[in-house]
Amino acid sequence: MQNFKQFLFLFLVVVFNSCGGSDDSPEPVIDKTPPTAPTNLQGDNITKTSLDLTWIASTDNVGVTAYILYKNGINYVATTSTTYTITELNSNTNYNFKISAKDAAENESVFSNVLEITTEQEDLDIPENVNVIWPLSGDSTFSPNSGDEIADGYGPRMLSGNYDFHRGIDFPEPTGTPIYTSLRGGQVVRVEASQPGSTFERWGNWVVIAYPASSHPNPDHSSVFQIAYLHLSSVNVNVGQNISIGEKIGEVGNTGVGINTEHLHFEYYDTIDSGLIQKRHSRNPFTLLPYTTITPTVTSSKSNSVITVNIEQTVPSLDVVEIALLVDEITINPVLNFEQRIGMDINDEDNDTYTDIDGTVINVAPTNFSEGDSMYYLSITFTNDVFSSISNYQVKLTNAKGEEFIY
Ligand SMILES: [Zn+2]
């Protein structure tokens, strides 16, 4: 068409010239100068299906008449504006865009810069009978190698060679991995952006979602609760927004101070503190997450005043929240509880040794665990002179779902 129009134009010029025009009539001007290329093509408000394109206008010796938008190299649409909203895109798909400018003589400029974008991920479509999913894989059961794998569980861990009490669980996945809400019936109560110097800079970008008791997968659960998602690279939700299971809230990142690895840090709080983070209310997220309980393997031994308990558990858990010694012969029955903070100092959680009110010294020794390991190990020693005289004791473990195991 362009060639035909140019041909027609030239033909008319020739006809005009050969049809008795006088020698002093003005020469017709043939515009052969294309517009300058549009520049700074940008995409904003990228959604699952659309984005807004903007660019800086071209100039032309006569005048720009249209901009031609190319989607993945194919002429898509023409517009006279310097903005355009592209719609009907597919979710989670790569696209490239470029534009050119035309003048009335159909001279086309060279192309602008090429803009490459990826549309947003679609929310997950969760079946109605599913009430809880893992936050990265979206699975309703634990599936190794699908994003469910955990690098650090709740409670004692080794961090860079030091004992650390971890108030959440870590899912190591690459930056940009979508994060989905695990439960129905939530409301976003807090969104914090990573700001240098801000109170919460060390946590990066983070989101808190509050839930009524009825959202809890355990039907016997009676209290409101909240979930916090930390270190996000991007956040897709706003405070006050109602949000249900499988909706994307943001993407995995490593924002925050000293966060070297890309991961989602996932916290569970057994109350709603208006989005506040109160460590005394933090609980093991395995209370919520769907998996089949794995019976821990426990060995214990006594040597004079020292009782040592060794716990092994295969992935996905270490879901033990309480270790208790049951001793009949004396009145001292030491308890270590990582949720109620019994047998540890909530104001000094990163101290691996604690003396309880009965004078029992409790030492906690987790083994370093990393993603891909198949077993967790935790060793606890209870030391008290009165243990020298006893002959029998039992060990009772309680897991995050309230199940008890006696050894
Ligand atoms: Zn963490």
Side-chain angles (χ1 to χ4, degrees):
M1 179 59 87
Q2 180 176 338
N3 287 341
F4 176 73
K5 282 183 182 171
Q6 281 175 345
F7 168 77
L8 188 65
F9 179 73
L10 290 170
F11 175 78
L12 291 173
V13 168
V14 170
V15 169
F16 176 81
N17 280 347
S18 59
C19 285
S22 63
D23 283 343
D24 55 349
S25 64
E27 284 286 323
V29 177
I30 303 172
D31 177 15
K32 293 182 177 173
T33 306
T36 60
T39 56
N40 202 29
L41 175 62
Q42 291 187 350
D44 294 303
N45 302 322
I46 299 171
T47 71
K48 295 159 197 162
T49 59
S50 68
L51 83 159
D52 296 336
L53 294 177
T54 59
W55 57 92
I56 293 175
S58 301
T59 58
D60 185 70
N61 61 325
V62 178
V64 173
T65 55
Y67 294 97
I68 315 299
L69 276 61
Y70 292 79
K71 182 175 84 175
N72 294 343
I74 296 167
N75 186 331
Y76 177 68
V77 72
T79 178
T80 55
S81 172
T82 55
T83 63
Y84 193 86
T85 298
I86 305 274
T87 59
E88 298 184 0
L89 300 175
N90 295 320
S91 64
N92 196 30
T93 304
N94 298 319
Y95 290 94
N96 68 67
F97 296 94
K98 61 185 178 181
I99 55 175
S100 63
K102 277 188 177 178
D103 62 20
E106 293 286 324
N107 296 307
E108 185 170 5
S109 73
V110 298
F111 291 118
S112 68
N113 58 300
V114 175
L115 172 71
E116 296 183 335
I117 64 106
T118 304
T119 47
E120 286 285 297
Q121 184 102 12
E122 199 72 71
D123 294 338
L124 299 179
D125 194 10
I126 305 299
E128 273 188 27
N129 62 340
V130 171
N131 290 317
V132 57
I133 58 169
W134 290 75
L136 301 187
S137 68
D139 292 335
S140 58
T141 55
F142 174 76
S143 357
N145 307 316
S146 68
D148 297 347
E149 276 198 286
I150 292 162
D152 282 308
Y154 178 89
R157 66 169 174 179
M158 297 304 292
L159 181 66
S160 306
N162 296 312
Y163 180 84
D164 178 67
F165 189 86
H166 190 219
R167 291 197 306 273
I169 57 181
D170 288 349
F171 296 94
E173 288 293 325
T175 291
T177 302
I179 302 166
Y180 302 105
T181 49
S182 285
L183 302 161
R184 299 185 185 277
Q187 185 177 48
V188 180
V189 291
R190 188 159 188 179
V191 174
E192 291 283 347
S194 186
Q195 296 286 345
S198 74
T199 312
F200 299 105
E201 180 187 7
R202 64 202 171 99
W203 293 339
N205 302 317
W206 53 283
V207 173
V208 181
I209 300 178
Y211 291 93
S214 59
S215 290
H216 201 285
N218 178 352
D220 297 332
H221 188 88
S222 60
S223 73
V224 296
F225 61 99
Q226 67 184 27
I227 297 176
Y229 303 83
L230 275 59
H231 314 314
L232 278 55
S233 61
S234 63
V235 172
N236 292 54
V237 293
N238 299 303
V239 171
Q241 181 179 338
N242 292 323
I243 194 159
S244 191
I245 189 169
E247 288 188 40
K248 183 180 171 184
I249 58 166
E251 294 178 349
V252 171
N254 62 343
T255 58
V257 176
I259 307 301
N260 299 319
T261 57
E262 300 165 346
H263 71 280
L264 168 65
H265 173 100
F266 181 102
E267 295 183 347
Y268 170 69
Y269 290 84
D270 206 12
T271 187
I272 297 172
D273 293 312
S274 306
L276 291 177
I277 299 298
Q278 307 259 20
K279 62 184 179 182
R280 69 181 180 277
H281 294 146
S282 83
R283 299 289 180 265
N284 191 327
F286 277 126
T287 299
L288 293 168
L289 293 170
Y291 69 101
T292 304
T293 298
I294 294 157
T295 304
T297 301
V298 174
T299 56
S300 69
S301 59
K302 185 174 91 73
S303 174
N304 298 320
S305 61
V306 181
I307 295 173
T308 303
V309 178
N310 293 308
I311 303 166
E312 290 179 35
Q313 201 163 16
T314 53
V315 293
S317 43
L318 191 67
D319 62 354
V320 173
V321 297
E322 182 176 287
I323 300 104
L325 293 183
L326 307 179
V327 191
D328 287 339
E329 299 158 59
I330 53 174
T331 56
I332 292 175
N333 290 292
V335 174
L336 174 64
N337 187 303
F338 300 130
E339 292 190 328
Q340 305 301 327
R341 272 64 168 194
I342 301 166
M344 55 182 287
D345 183 356
I346 195 167
N347 297 313
D348 189 17
E349 290 189 327
D350 295 335
N351 188 338
D352 63 355
T353 304
Y354 177 74
T355 303
D356 74 8
I357 52 169
D358 295 321
T360 304
V361 176
I362 301 172
N363 178 268
V364 185
T367 305
N368 215 5
F369 180 82
S370 26
E371 184 194 17
D373 290 354
S374 58
M375 297 288 284
Y376 300 82
Y377 301 95
L378 184 61
S379 180
I380 300 122
T381 58
F382 297 89
T383 305
N384 193 317
D385 286 343
V386 298
F387 299 152
S388 301
S389 63
I390 67 169
S391 51
N392 284 303
Y393 65 92
Q394 287 180 303
V395 179
K396 186 180 79 166
L397 302 190
T398 309
N399 71 14
K401 297 197 190 304
E403 297 165 311
E404 296 181 348
F405 306 85
I406 293 183
Y407 301 85

